[in-house]
Amino acid sequence: MSIRINVTVNGVAFSHEVEPRLLLVNYLRDVLRLTGTHVGCDTSSCGACTIHVNGKATKSCTMLAVQADGCEITTIEGIAPSDDELHPLQEGFRECHGLQCGFCTPGMIMTAADILQNNPNPSEEEIRVGLEGNFCRCTGYHNIVKSVQYAAHKMKEVTV
Amino acid sequence: MSTTHGLIGKSVKRVEDRRFITGHGKYTDDIILPGQTYASFVRSPYAHAKILSVDTNAAASMPGVVAIFTGADVENVNGVPCGWQVNFKNGHHMKEPKHPLLVADKAKHVGDAIAIVIAESQAEAVDAAEAIVVEYEELPAIVDASKAVEDGAPQVHDSAPNNICFDWALGNPIEEVDAAIAASAHVTTLDFVNQRLVPNAIEPRAYNASYDQYNDKYTLYTSTQNPHLIRLLMCAFVLGIPEHRVRVVGPDVGGGFGSKIFHYTEEALLTWCTHKLRRPVKWTSTRSESFLLDAHGRDHITKADMGFDASGNITALRVKTYANLGAYLSTFASCVPSYLHGTLLQGLYTTPKINIDLVAVFTNTTAVDAYRGAGRPEATYLLERLLDLAAHEMNMDPAELRFKNFIPPFDGVTQPGYQTQVALQYDSGNYHGVLEKGLAMLGYEDFRKAQKEAANNGKLLGVGFSTYIEACGIAPSAVVGSLGARAGLYEVGHVRVQPSGKISVYTGAHSHGQGHETTFAQVVADKLGLPMEDVEIVHGDSEAVAFGMGTYGSRSLAVGGSAIIKSLEKVIEKGKKIAAHKFEANPEDVDFVEGRFVVKGTHHSAPFSDIALRAYVPHHYPAGLEPGLDFSSFYDPANFTYPFGCHIAVVEVDKETGKVQLTRFVAVDDVGNIINPMIVEGQIHGGVVQGVGQALFEGAEYDENGQLTNGSYMDYCMPRADDFPMIETASQVTPCPHNPLGVKGAGEAGCIGSTPAVVNAVIDALWSGGHKVKDIRMPLTSERVWRAMQQ
């Protein structure tokens, strides 16, 4: 049995017949071939698959594709204003060496975007607590925190 | 060669970042090939069980199933080999039981593969695997290495009596060490466990194997740290297929930490399957499988005695260790507890007598192999815990005790290297320097005052030290060969100058987070006086890179970078000949200065790009001068490199709950010359957090039946962002005297130094409150610390 879903991903409308058991992350990766969203675990713990569903950071391995019917989804591929520009967080991660192997990075950026959306002036501790659902094995989090601080600063400049 | 461009030593932003931050990295699981099939495994739920029958009938007729193979199908295929031979004390070879691609007779650890199902989709493969019925006869399991050697313990392999893979000793004769210990004014003794860790690279292992029958060509995409090594082991030792018919690609790889060095059974099995099926076969490990299958790290049970004279000079060190190897001998498992552990027991100290006695043991657990630091963290933990504990016991200051025992500074050029009691010769060092710097950064005297005040107010603050050394730049073929390595461990660097003067560099090292595409390009651009954009670094593809040994043991820059330098020297040498031809000068009269070939004493000069073009558009070349500007080099260093440093942890321990809060971490590391400080600091940060993870959070826990009881992220405590303060780093530079860049390696330092610093800090906090605790088993959970305070 397949179920039809209609979703908007990174501003583009899609309509697909999917198996009811298909996870949203697998829909994005295998059906839409948006492979920037990664799978790092099978217990919704690591955060590598974090995307935005209707503007909220969501671990896409915790949702079935059919649950996303009618939703607006943003993935790492769609967070920058255009192909030639970077989101302030993407810029921050590059400027502050907030990534090494890059595998956790998309999820980190999507979670951090949610943190900054809700709290444009987070303290170091608020950033750290906000990221505790995302694992990074490379950076020791030090430069990830700095990257988020960089982006917060940059986004403030833009709004001023 | 002189620095011409000023790129070396600059924190250049990484060139590889753009693809990662935009979601366009290409990891193995991102690849789907035409005609793709998907694999799933049937794995033993028991740690030790006879396999009585495997019924695949129901599964075979399920939707989408392409093929099912069991142990019987691969009985005539070799197992995966071990790459390092260690001999018993009596000279006999270590025991090397077969590690089959699928087991037919007996499962030896939970997760041992019984059958592989290949189907049109991942879901169909999983469904069919669940329909395979295996009948087991469960056998008693053994998980503890020190108990596994006892008579009557369950036997993992019939060919390894008492589960012993090998026994081994190193250092001064044991009688001399015993006598020195007996004659000591004070002896500090520690019985402890260096617990088993799960590597947990965030990208799970993934493989995609395909076979093109019309060109008789295999391609294996693999999440590996060393594609050429995988090709060599798989072709020559497992499948017996010719290497020139096999392309192995390690694309973007999401972290390794050692766990992706090894040749795993799934790599060879998928390659074997694709040849049978003529279709690509892909498998990506679930995290649950990663916990059960990726080679674990550490797992030593040790008793160590350190003797001191009346004024605190170390007189001797005696170590007895049981190293748990797990159920099978992984690729480098045998060398980790022996040659990467025993050889580091000199530490930074002048200890005159050292002996280690080691027994390496099979158990019904996941294989254990190199994990970030590999043997060196175990050696450092042992030494540094002993030092801080001895200071407490002798009522001495732990920093003073170290200063008293440090090997004096030596540069390895005007002063010779330091010959240890345990086989190695250190290249260069200034151990006083890093501790002095660390104490200054900490504000040591102020801390001790604050600690006293806190104790008076019922608060427990502690400081812990760790002054470590490691052997890196893992290579010198002559040395590792004499120690049992079955491969030479050089590196390959190939520099291809394009006709336009742009540079393609092919390195046998592999980047899975280390930033080679940036650091290596900095080195090349600096040496040639070119902008970095003119340099491309290619790695990870056996078809592009002639050969390589890969990335582990903090070796990429020290060995791989040096190989590139060798090729650059050849490029410049030949460029001088071409320039001499152009200007009708003698090649000896041509210099290469800031990106230009200059005829000495004349106004004649040509930019690099001009000579590059002439190399490919040759006219009237003299006899003996070939066209082209393209050189490959193999670099095999004279010695290991020996980075060292000082790590200091400050903790607060909650008296009521035992909860440990890491409040400061100071790391002063000397990794030799530094090409990109930003990247080096990043390596230190990551290593420190991994090492603190061992001290405070992580540890694989097996029950007596051999079940891993914390085999998921719900149960295994990973270090998280909110567990840490900002890490305070600084560097000292003592160049390596024997490689052209003077670099030593930075990948493992953080993970080696940090663990004992944190444990020492907790013990120090407890002593400050009057709890004279010798040891708390890692990880230092609140419960364990609280219980220690109740004694």
Side-chain angles (χ1 to χ4, degrees), chain B residues 61-89:
Chain B
S61 58
M62 287 180 64
V65 172
V66 175
I68 298 172
F69 299 107
T70 66
D73 296 304
V74 292
E75 220 150 17
N76 296 323
V77 180
N78 291 334
V80 292
C82 178
W84 200 295
Q85 182 182 304
V86 178
N87 291 338
F88 277 85
K89 287 180 195 167

Short mmCIF file of all heavy atoms in Angstrom, two decimals, chain B residues 61-89:
data_model
loop_
_atom_site.label_atom_id
_atom_site.label_comp_id
_atom_site.label_asym_id
_atom_site.label_seq_id
_atom_site.Cartn_x
_atom_site.Cartn_y
_atom_site.Cartn_z
N SER B 61 12.03 -16.55 -0.97
CA SER B 61 10.91 -16.27 -1.87
C SER B 61 10.19 -14.97 -1.51
O SER B 61 9.13 -14.67 -2.05
CB SER B 61 9.92 -17.44 -1.82
OG SER B 61 9.49 -17.62 -0.49
N MET B 62 10.77 -14.20 -0.63
CA MET B 62 10.12 -12.93 -0.26
C MET B 62 10.34 -11.87 -1.33
O MET B 62 11.30 -11.94 -2.10
CB MET B 62 10.61 -12.47 1.11
CG MET B 62 10.02 -13.35 2.21
SD MET B 62 10.51 -12.90 3.85
CE MET B 62 9.82 -11.27 4.02
N PRO B 63 9.45 -10.86 -1.36
CA PRO B 63 9.53 -9.84 -2.43
C PRO B 63 10.88 -9.14 -2.46
O PRO B 63 11.41 -8.78 -1.40
CB PRO B 63 8.42 -8.84 -2.05
CG PRO B 63 7.55 -9.53 -1.08
CD PRO B 63 8.34 -10.60 -0.44
N GLY B 64 11.38 -9.00 -3.65
CA GLY B 64 12.59 -8.21 -3.85
C GLY B 64 13.90 -8.91 -3.55
O GLY B 64 14.96 -8.33 -3.76
N VAL B 65 13.85 -10.14 -3.04
CA VAL B 65 15.11 -10.79 -2.66
C VAL B 65 15.89 -11.21 -3.90
O VAL B 65 15.36 -11.85 -4.80
CB VAL B 65 14.86 -12.01 -1.74
CG1 VAL B 65 16.14 -12.80 -1.50
CG2 VAL B 65 14.27 -11.53 -0.41
N VAL B 66 17.14 -10.82 -3.94
CA VAL B 66 18.01 -11.12 -5.09
C VAL B 66 18.87 -12.34 -4.78
O VAL B 66 19.05 -13.23 -5.62
CB VAL B 66 18.90 -9.90 -5.43
CG1 VAL B 66 19.89 -10.24 -6.53
CG2 VAL B 66 18.03 -8.71 -5.82
N ALA B 67 19.41 -12.39 -3.58
CA ALA B 67 20.28 -13.52 -3.22
C ALA B 67 20.45 -13.58 -1.71
O ALA B 67 20.30 -12.56 -1.01
CB ALA B 67 21.65 -13.37 -3.87
N ILE B 68 20.74 -14.79 -1.23
CA ILE B 68 21.08 -14.98 0.18
C ILE B 68 22.32 -15.86 0.22
O ILE B 68 22.40 -16.87 -0.49
CB ILE B 68 19.93 -15.68 0.95
CG1 ILE B 68 18.67 -14.79 0.92
CG2 ILE B 68 20.35 -15.98 2.39
CD1 ILE B 68 17.43 -15.47 1.49
N PHE B 69 23.30 -15.48 0.99
CA PHE B 69 24.50 -16.30 1.16
C PHE B 69 24.71 -16.55 2.66
O PHE B 69 24.43 -15.68 3.49
CB PHE B 69 25.74 -15.62 0.59
CG PHE B 69 25.64 -15.34 -0.90
CD1 PHE B 69 25.44 -14.04 -1.36
CD2 PHE B 69 25.74 -16.37 -1.84
CE1 PHE B 69 25.36 -13.78 -2.72
CE2 PHE B 69 25.65 -16.11 -3.19
CZ PHE B 69 25.47 -14.81 -3.64
N THR B 70 25.20 -17.74 2.96
CA THR B 70 25.48 -18.09 4.36
C THR B 70 26.94 -18.53 4.49
O THR B 70 27.67 -18.57 3.49
CB THR B 70 24.58 -19.25 4.83
OG1 THR B 70 24.94 -20.42 4.09
CG2 THR B 70 23.11 -18.94 4.62
N GLY B 71 27.32 -18.87 5.69
CA GLY B 71 28.69 -19.27 5.96
C GLY B 71 29.17 -20.39 5.05
O GLY B 71 30.34 -20.43 4.65
N ALA B 72 28.27 -21.31 4.71
CA ALA B 72 28.66 -22.44 3.87
C ALA B 72 29.13 -21.96 2.49
O ALA B 72 30.02 -22.56 1.88
CB ALA B 72 27.47 -23.40 3.72
N ASP B 73 28.53 -20.86 2.01
CA ASP B 73 28.89 -20.37 0.68
C ASP B 73 30.29 -19.78 0.61
O ASP B 73 30.89 -19.71 -0.46
CB ASP B 73 27.89 -19.28 0.23
CG ASP B 73 26.48 -19.84 0.07
OD1 ASP B 73 26.33 -20.81 -0.70
OD2 ASP B 73 25.56 -19.34 0.73
N VAL B 74 30.79 -19.30 1.74
CA VAL B 74 32.11 -18.65 1.71
C VAL B 74 33.15 -19.44 2.50
O VAL B 74 34.20 -18.92 2.88
CB VAL B 74 32.04 -17.20 2.26
CG1 VAL B 74 31.26 -16.31 1.31
CG2 VAL B 74 31.44 -17.15 3.65
N GLU B 75 32.85 -20.73 2.69
CA GLU B 75 33.76 -21.54 3.50
C GLU B 75 35.17 -21.61 2.89
O GLU B 75 36.16 -21.70 3.61
CB GLU B 75 33.20 -22.95 3.66
CG GLU B 75 33.41 -23.49 5.04
CD GLU B 75 32.30 -24.47 5.45
OE1 GLU B 75 31.57 -24.97 4.56
OE2 GLU B 75 32.18 -24.73 6.64
N ASN B 76 35.23 -21.54 1.56
CA ASN B 76 36.54 -21.64 0.90
C ASN B 76 37.19 -20.28 0.66
O ASN B 76 38.25 -20.20 0.03
CB ASN B 76 36.40 -22.39 -0.42
CG ASN B 76 35.97 -23.83 -0.17
OD1 ASN B 76 36.40 -24.44 0.81
ND2 ASN B 76 35.09 -24.34 -1.02
N VAL B 77 36.53 -19.23 1.11
CA VAL B 77 37.13 -17.90 0.98
C VAL B 77 37.95 -17.62 2.23
O VAL B 77 37.53 -17.97 3.34
CB VAL B 77 36.02 -16.82 0.82
CG1 VAL B 77 36.63 -15.43 0.68
CG2 VAL B 77 35.12 -17.14 -0.36
N ASN B 78 39.11 -16.99 2.05
CA ASN B 78 39.93 -16.67 3.22
C ASN B 78 39.21 -15.69 4.15
O ASN B 78 38.32 -14.97 3.72
CB ASN B 78 41.25 -16.02 2.79
CG ASN B 78 42.15 -17.00 2.07
OD1 ASN B 78 42.08 -18.21 2.30
ND2 ASN B 78 43.00 -16.49 1.20
N GLY B 79 39.65 -15.65 5.39
CA GLY B 79 39.15 -14.64 6.31
C GLY B 79 39.95 -13.35 6.15
O GLY B 79 40.89 -13.29 5.36
N VAL B 80 39.55 -12.31 6.90
CA VAL B 80 40.31 -11.05 6.84
C VAL B 80 41.56 -11.20 7.72
O VAL B 80 41.49 -11.76 8.81
CB VAL B 80 39.47 -9.82 7.24
CG1 VAL B 80 38.40 -9.55 6.20
CG2 VAL B 80 38.84 -10.00 8.61
N PRO B 81 42.70 -10.70 7.22
CA PRO B 81 43.97 -10.95 7.92
C PRO B 81 44.31 -9.90 8.98
O PRO B 81 43.72 -8.82 9.02
CB PRO B 81 44.99 -10.86 6.78
CG PRO B 81 44.40 -9.82 5.86
CD PRO B 81 42.90 -9.96 5.96
N CYS B 82 45.31 -10.21 9.78
CA CYS B 82 45.91 -9.24 10.70
C CYS B 82 47.20 -8.73 10.05
O CYS B 82 47.93 -9.50 9.44
CB CYS B 82 46.20 -9.88 12.05
SG CYS B 82 46.99 -8.74 13.21
N GLY B 83 47.46 -7.45 10.18
CA GLY B 83 48.60 -6.85 9.49
C GLY B 83 49.86 -6.73 10.32
O GLY B 83 50.84 -6.14 9.87
N TRP B 84 49.84 -7.25 11.53
CA TRP B 84 51.01 -7.05 12.40
C TRP B 84 51.27 -8.33 13.20
O TRP B 84 50.39 -8.78 13.93
CB TRP B 84 50.76 -5.89 13.36
CG TRP B 84 52.00 -5.29 13.94
CD1 TRP B 84 52.89 -5.91 14.77
CD2 TRP B 84 52.49 -3.97 13.74
NE1 TRP B 84 53.89 -5.06 15.09
CE2 TRP B 84 53.69 -3.86 14.48
CE3 TRP B 84 52.06 -2.87 13.01
CZ2 TRP B 84 54.45 -2.69 14.52
CZ3 TRP B 84 52.81 -1.69 13.06
CH2 TRP B 84 53.99 -1.61 13.80
N GLN B 85 52.47 -8.88 13.03
CA GLN B 85 52.77 -10.12 13.73
C GLN B 85 53.55 -9.86 15.01
O GLN B 85 54.57 -9.19 14.99
CB GLN B 85 53.60 -11.02 12.82
CG GLN B 85 53.91 -12.36 13.46
CD GLN B 85 54.78 -13.19 12.54
OE1 GLN B 85 54.42 -13.44 11.39
NE2 GLN B 85 55.93 -13.59 13.04
N VAL B 86 53.04 -10.39 16.09
CA VAL B 86 53.76 -10.34 17.36
C VAL B 86 54.04 -11.77 17.77
O VAL B 86 53.17 -12.64 17.62
CB VAL B 86 52.93 -9.61 18.44
CG1 VAL B 86 53.68 -9.59 19.77
CG2 VAL B 86 52.62 -8.18 18.00
N ASN B 87 55.23 -12.03 18.25
CA ASN B 87 55.56 -13.38 18.67
C ASN B 87 55.41 -13.57 20.17
O ASN B 87 55.60 -12.62 20.94
CB ASN B 87 56.99 -13.73 18.26
CG ASN B 87 57.13 -13.85 16.76
OD1 ASN B 87 56.15 -14.07 16.05
ND2 ASN B 87 58.34 -13.68 16.28
N PHE B 88 55.10 -14.79 20.56
CA PHE B 88 55.13 -15.17 21.97
C PHE B 88 56.54 -14.95 22.52
O PHE B 88 57.51 -14.93 21.75
CB PHE B 88 54.80 -16.65 22.12
CG PHE B 88 53.34 -16.99 22.14
CD1 PHE B 88 52.64 -17.17 20.95
CD2 PHE B 88 52.66 -17.15 23.34
CE1 PHE B 88 51.29 -17.51 20.96
CE2 PHE B 88 51.32 -17.48 23.36
CZ PHE B 88 50.63 -17.67 22.18
N LYS B 89 56.63 -14.87 23.83
CA LYS B 89 57.95 -14.77 24.46
C LYS B 89 58.85 -15.93 24.03
O LYS B 89 60.06 -15.78 23.92
CB LYS B 89 57.81 -14.82 25.99
CG LYS B 89 57.24 -13.57 26.61
CD LYS B 89 57.15 -13.78 28.12
CE LYS B 89 56.27 -12.76 28.78
NZ LYS B 89 55.93 -13.12 30.17
#
